[in-house]
Amino acid sequence: MVGRESESAAVLGLTSGVLILTGEPGAGKSTLLHLAAERHRGRGRVLRMTGSESEVDLPFAGLHQLLRPVLDETASLPARQRSALLGAMGLMDTVPAGADPAGADPEDPGTGRTGAGESAGSGPPGRLLLGVALLALLSELARRSPLLVVVDDVQWVDTGTLETLAFAARRIHDEPLAVLAGTRSPTGDGTAAGAGATAPFAGFPTLPLAPLDTAAAGLLLDRQPHPPTGGRRLRILDQAAGNPLALVELARAYGACGTETADEELLPPTDRLLRLFAADLDALPDATRRALLLVAADDRAVPGRIEELAPAEAAGLLKITGGAGGGRRARFRHPLIRSAVYHSVPLADRRAAHRGLAASLTAEPDRRAWHLAAAAEEPDEEIAAALEGAAARALERGGHTAAATALERAAGLSPGVYDRARRLVGAAGAAASTGQPGWVRQLAAGAAALTDDPALVAEASLRVGQVLTLTAEHDGALSSLLRAAEAPELRRIAVATASVAGFYSGDEEHRLAVRARADGDPWTLAVTDPTMRRADRVAALPELMERAGGDPAVLTSLGAMAWLLDETALAVRIFDDALHRWRLRGALPTGLGCSAGWAYLDHGLWAQARLAAANSTSTGAGLPHLDAAVRSLDSAVLALTGQTAEARDGAGAALSLIDPHRSRAVAVRARWALGTAAVADGDQMSAYEHFRLLFTADGDPVHYACSLPVIAELAAAAVRTGNGAEAAVIVERTAARVADDPSPRLRILLHRARALLEPDRAEPHFDAALSDPAGVQWPFERAQILLDHAEWLRRRHRVTEARTGLNTALETFRRLGARPWIDRANAELRAAGVDSTPTAPDALTSLTPQQQHIIRLAAQGLSNREIGERLFLSPRTVGSHLYRSFPKLGVTARSQLRDLVEASSAAVGCGV
């Protein structure tokens, strides 16, 4: 099940005892129960019952449904127990003479009489006797074959059955008998078992089914017969709110539509969803339903309607939040309830509601524009212009999706053909930052069908090319971008973006085609070949940064340029500034953080690298190439920290999402992670095989930039596996390739590689690698050289000299949390005669990536509120993270954080 892997493992692993699945309607409870039942049939017996709202008041209806397949097995029970069970289900008119339905069976040892004898048939069987009888029957069945009892919709099972089953379930011991049940959460949030009728099952272990996260929801949509795209996809994701059934139903109903209109803010729920989420609407007073319509159209339309909304709040349909006055909002229990309310009235009534709301919002132009658009019955330039203004303000706040949606709707309301095309192109530009290729293509195609204006056609092609750089469609991206470059006013941005597509591709023809159109642009020249005239590109960076004027988009590009040129420390500073500026504007554009993440990783900021990977994911856009890039980055950090199984899984998944021969940048990074995981595990042969794949049979780099930093790791694995001669050829070809102007990093790595491959002439290479002051930018690589050098010294009986380097390397590995290299350094110290005790990683590395980021910001003196603004967290959440982190760090006051972080950073950055 998509997004339910851990829950599936839990239910499939249940062999004894009780587990209750809880969640809102459509969360996947029934699917998991069915999965468990089907799997169990192969090894044992399954008894099932499903609660029914129409039978909830029928005594023991559920028990009858459960035991109907095994009625013949009741013959093995003692007479009184069998009579009690059959009598409860209405299958015996009388109870045998002398029986005590309310008491215990005198034939069963260990049970006592609990009530006076009654005449046969004088009342229902005693619950205690029923519970004992059911337990005896289920235990006997389990003795013969493992038994799974599956109960769905517990909230609609009659009370008698629930109490009887709960009695038996509480007495399950170490036997192959399990009870697996599913019930709705009373609040619909998946966090608690039901109350009221389901009270007998309170106290059992529960497994809440929370809403699917964005990635899983997007994957589920992609697996539907007609995966929705563009704005409709975003609306489905928003309205479904992670509910699997809602995702499937809405995709089925609307994913196959060939067209859409931008005013579909709330998609009508299907009949099945209406039955689940809007069953209580008809019982509400008319005034409440009218008020509900207004807050469904605008959740801030609460003031003055509190009294009318009270019955809906009492019914659990919504909750009024916020303070008095304009701060109050209506929060529906689920977005689909809001949709059901909105679509429960005719279109004319909905338009009237929007007109009324627009009339009251003269002081809020953006909200007013949207309500006027929803009420419009024909094109209206005034409304279209108002929406265009709202889109511009949304872009200033980083609201790319909102801006694209507003411009798309504005296009639909534009009376003039040119304005319609112009606004569609503008919408495509905003949508490109959401990572929605299908949406951008749809918008661009709509514009192209309306006009042959060269400028608009070129810009539409540019927008398509920009979004395709996030995909594996490198040929399509380059084609669109180079076509857009024919327009003089778009040439620079189109060619610069094409260089990104060429970088991801790694194809030599792509690289040369883009470079031929660079026209001296330093960005394009750096991206297409960061080793050629590198010094000139580095010298251009300060002026380019000054000209950026604080624009986060430009700064992000310059950060990537600095990283490619191996100006890693500068790249990190630029990325820090750019990402902070992006956050001040709102959400980060899709895919932004990958290059920042690699810079953080190279600079020893591994927690920030993982955060950058997490922030790079698309909003359910279905971009496997981007997903592969994110997985390769995350896998690299996992490998370095010794979480090798997870690293291999992530890197393997990354390679499965792309064609390694067409998306070479991502493939090289994923294979680097696999090789690093093999080094961490001590499997040098596998490491060499992975690293060798980053170079061609002739020894040239598979990717002109990404393969080069692996040269030293290739040499290290080669000398441990007898492949030194082959590696030496590759090292020298690489050295010749960058001979004109190598970066300090490549110089250092080449020295390390030669030192390892030529141990008799290693010392000058080690000295050159360790004496270069630029090496502090790459703390892990520097620590590796220190470790290699110390090992080389020890083997030449220069033990005293070796110890200094070993201690320095160990401290760096500890600060980074590089567990496998900590172990190797400790082993070398012991071999050098130092009584080395196991060393734990730095305390900071024990925190989550987000906690580490918070600690570093707090150490800079930022308040909880300022940190929250940067990370989109509440001050209370920031405080909670700090509270949990302090004991792990061994500090008691905020003032201690600066020294702790500075010590950690100094040790990592300087290699001491």
Side-chain angles (χ1 to χ4, degrees):
M1 291 181 66
V2 177
R4 296 283 189 230
E5 290 78 11
S6 61
E7 293 89 344
S8 297
V11 300
L12 293 177
L14 182 69
T15 58
S16 182
V18 182
L19 182 63
I20 312 297
L21 306 182
T22 67
E24 67 183 7
K29 302 182 295 297
S30 297
T31 304
L32 282 170
L33 295 178
H34 178 72
L35 174 66
E38 291 302 306
R39 292 287 182 88
H40 188 83
R41 292 187 199 283
R43 61 176 184 268
R45 192 168 196 169
V46 178
L47 294 179
R48 301 190 65 167
M49 70 169 157
T50 301
S52 171
E53 198 170 9
S54 63
E55 295 182 353
V56 71
D57 295 321
L58 296 180
F60 301 107
L63 191 65
H64 184 223
Q65 183 188 158
L66 180 71
L67 299 183
R68 185 167 50 189
V70 293
L71 287 176
D72 291 345
E73 310 287 348
T74 61
S76 63
L77 294 175
R80 284 169 47 78
Q81 293 182 12
R82 179 173 184 272
S83 297
L85 273 181
L86 297 179
M89 293 183 286
L91 299 178
M92 292 184 67
D93 293 329
T94 60
V95 180
D100 181 3
D105 188 345
E107 298 176 19
D108 290 344
T111 62
R113 300 179 68 86
T114 60
E118 300 179 29
S119 60
S122 63
R127 298 295 167 83
L128 175 60
L129 179 58
L130 272 177
V132 170
L134 180 60
L135 178 61
L137 176 60
L138 297 179
S139 296
E140 175 60 23
L141 293 172
R143 185 185 65 79
R144 302 175 195 171
S145 176
L147 177 64
L148 177 66
V149 175
V150 177
V151 186
D152 200 359
D153 284 331
V154 168
Q155 73 278 359
W156 288 328
V157 175
D158 63 274
T159 303
T161 296
L162 277 185
E163 290 178 348
T164 304
L165 181 58
F167 176 92
R170 293 184 193 283
R171 288 156 179 80
I172 296 175
H173 297 295
D174 296 330
E175 53 189 318
L177 169 58
V179 176
L180 181 63
T183 187
R184 289 186 183 179
S185 308
T187 60
D189 60 4
T191 59
T198 61
F201 268 60
F204 285 114
T206 61
L207 178 62
L209 301 186
L212 299 181
D213 62 25
T214 301
L219 181 58
L220 182 58
L221 285 184
D222 289 336
R223 293 188 178 181
Q224 301 312 302
H226 300 283
T229 60
R232 177 172 283 119
R233 181 187 183 94
L234 296 177
R235 292 184 186 94
I236 289 175
L237 287 168
D238 182 56
Q239 285 182 229
N243 184 288
L245 177 64
L247 288 162
V248 171
E249 284 285 301
L250 291 174
R252 178 184 61 79
Y254 306 108
C257 300
T259 59
E260 66 171 288
T261 58
D263 58 344
E264 293 178 299
E265 181 186 356
L266 293 174
L267 295 172
T270 63
D271 290 342
R272 186 179 183 188
L273 294 176
L274 278 172
R275 289 194 299 271
L276 286 175
F277 289 95
D280 299 328
L281 288 181
D282 291 340
L284 296 174
D286 289 344
T288 299
R289 297 186 66 175
R290 286 193 297 271
L292 275 174
L293 174 60
L294 292 171
V295 296
D298 189 330
D299 62 6
R300 285 183 282 180
V302 172
R305 300 180 177 91
I306 299 295
E307 186 175 340
E308 290 90 342
L309 291 170
E313 189 169 22
L317 296 175
L318 53 68
K319 184 176 182 181
I320 305 301
T321 63
R328 291 188 179 273
R329 304 186 77 149
R331 299 293 187 191
F332 286 87
R333 192 183 76 228
H334 193 281
L336 285 170
I337 295 176
R338 180 186 178 193
S339 179
V341 169
Y342 185 78
H343 288 284
S344 66
V345 301
L347 175 61
D349 291 348
R350 299 199 298 270
R351 283 176 170 165
H354 284 293
R355 281 194 294 271
L357 289 167
S360 66
L361 292 170
T362 54
E364 298 185 55
D366 291 354
R367 288 173 67 195
R368 181 175 182 272
W370 273 110
H371 286 300
L372 288 172
E377 300 181 35
E378 57 186 17
D380 187 311
E381 176 58 29
E382 184 178 349
I383 298 176
L387 280 174
E388 190 170 13
R393 289 184 287 274
L395 282 176
E396 292 174 358
R397 301 188 299 271
H400 305 285
T401 300
T405 305
L407 284 167
E408 185 179 12
R409 179 59 176 141
L413 289 170
S414 302
V417 173
Y418 176 81
D419 284 332
R420 196 179 312 157
R422 176 180 61 80
R423 284 163 177 155
L424 282 174
V425 170
S433 294
T434 72
Q436 293 278 332
W439 193 11
V440 177
R441 279 174 158 159
Q442 175 187 312
L443 293 166
L450 292 170
T451 182
D452 56 2
D453 180 271
L456 288 179
V457 171
E459 186 178 353
S461 185
L462 171 68
R463 301 314 181 189
V464 171
Q466 285 177 322
V467 77
L468 290 184
T469 60
L470 298 173
T471 74
E473 297 182 51
H474 307 303
D475 291 336
L478 284 162
S479 176
S480 292
L481 291 166
L482 295 181
R483 191 162 55 247
E486 298 301 320
E489 67 276 12
L490 298 178
R491 180 180 179 85
R492 185 180 176 281
I493 187 172
V495 172
T497 308
S499 69
V500 177
F503 176 86
Y504 283 135
S505 163
D507 183 86
E508 189 70 2
E509 289 186 11
H510 290 171
R511 184 178 75 86
L512 295 176
V514 177
R515 191 172 180 83
R517 294 168 171 79
D519 198 24
D521 177 53
W523 155 262
T524 302
L525 293 170
V527 173
T528 53
D529 191 346
T531 64
M532 182 177 288
R533 298 184 62 180
R534 174 187 170 276
D536 293 342
R537 313 293 169 239
V538 172
L541 278 170
E543 182 184 352
L544 293 173
M545 291 171 60
E546 184 176 349
R547 283 162 45 188
D551 185 328
V554 178
L555 288 174
T556 301
S557 297
L558 294 177
M561 179 178 171
W563 168 65
L564 284 169
L565 294 169
D566 283 334
E567 293 293 313
T568 306
L570 175 61
V572 165
R573 292 197 298 272
I574 296 173
F575 279 130
D576 281 346
D577 185 23
L579 294 176
H580 175 52
R581 292 175 186 273
W582 277 119
R583 291 186 183 102
L584 291 177
R585 287 190 175 190
L588 304 179
T590 297
L592 183 68
C594 265
S595 55
W598 285 109
Y600 289 138
L601 181 140
D602 291 342
H603 204 48
L605 300 171
W606 294 352
Q608 283 180 252
R610 293 199 74 186
L611 274 179
N615 290 334
S616 296
T617 54
S618 58
T619 312
L623 295 172
H625 182 266
L626 176 58
D627 189 22
V630 169
R631 286 173 185 261
S632 66
L633 172 56
D634 196 54
S635 298
V637 183
L638 291 169
L640 289 166
T641 54
Q643 301 171 74
T644 54
E646 297 92 330
R648 283 191 294 273
D649 289 345
L655 288 171
S656 72
L657 291 169
I658 59 167
D659 179 348
H661 301 293
R662 294 178 59 81
S663 297
R664 299 181 187 184
V666 175
V668 164
R669 289 300 189 177
R671 284 174 172 151
W672 180 83
L674 289 170
T676 303
V679 172
D681 286 338
D683 184 356
Q684 297 296 335
M685 182 54 73
S686 292
Y688 182 75
E689 291 170 352
H690 287 303
F691 294 143
R692 183 64 184 84
L693 288 172
L694 307 190
F695 297 86
T696 67
D698 294 334
D700 291 324
V702 167
H703 188 278
Y704 63 89
C706 295
S707 292
L708 301 183
V710 187
I711 193 67
E713 287 297 283
L714 174 73
V719 298
R720 294 181 174 92
T721 57
N723 291 290
E726 183 180 42
V729 172
I730 299 173
V731 168
E732 295 312 314
R733 287 182 74 94
T734 301
R737 185 183 184 91
V738 302
D740 290 342
D741 192 5
S743 71
R745 183 186 189 187
L746 286 177
R747 282 200 306 268
I748 290 169
L749 292 176
L750 286 168
H751 279 305
R752 181 193 176 205
R754 286 165 168 161
L756 293 170
L757 291 167
E758 305 175 65
D760 293 338
R761 293 183 286 179
E763 189 149 25
H765 290 300
F766 278 128
D767 289 344
L770 292 171
S771 63
D772 193 328
V776 298
Q777 296 180 79
W778 309 284
F780 179 72
E781 292 173 0
R782 180 175 174 81
Q784 285 180 299
I785 300 170
L786 286 166
L787 184 57
D788 291 338
H789 186 215
E791 184 179 359
W792 182 86
L793 289 170
R794 180 181 60 77
R795 289 179 177 175
R796 282 151 185 77
H797 308 292
R798 296 161 63 177
V799 177
T800 301
E801 295 175 73
R803 290 171 183 166
T804 302
L806 281 172
N807 280 313
T808 304
L810 176 61
E811 183 63 16
T812 298
F813 293 141
R814 188 181 75 84
R815 295 289 185 186
L816 291 170
R819 289 170 176 81
W821 287 267
I822 291 173
D823 294 341
R824 183 181 161 197
N826 275 321
E828 277 296 317
L829 278 169
R830 288 191 293 272
V834 177
D835 185 14
S836 175
T837 56
T839 307
D842 181 80
L844 269 174
T845 65
S846 68
L847 306 180
T848 67
Q850 188 173 68
Q851 287 171 340
Q852 291 187 49
H853 201 181
I854 289 172
I855 289 295
R856 293 184 185 279
L857 292 174
Q860 297 173 22
L862 274 68
S863 67
N864 288 5
R865 183 172 298 281
E866 291 169 330
I867 295 171
E869 289 173 353
R870 289 199 177 199
L871 303 184
F872 299 112
L873 300 172
S874 70
R876 184 173 181 177
T877 299
V878 173
S880 176
H881 279 301
L882 290 170
Y883 178 80
R884 292 196 299 270
S885 301
F886 276 23
K888 297 178 183 179
L889 299 176
V891 300
T892 57
R894 204 181 188 104
S895 58
Q896 298 172 271
L897 294 178
R898 181 175 181 179
D899 291 341
L900 182 146
V901 171
E902 284 184 352
S904 176
S905 299
V908 171
C910 300
V912 296

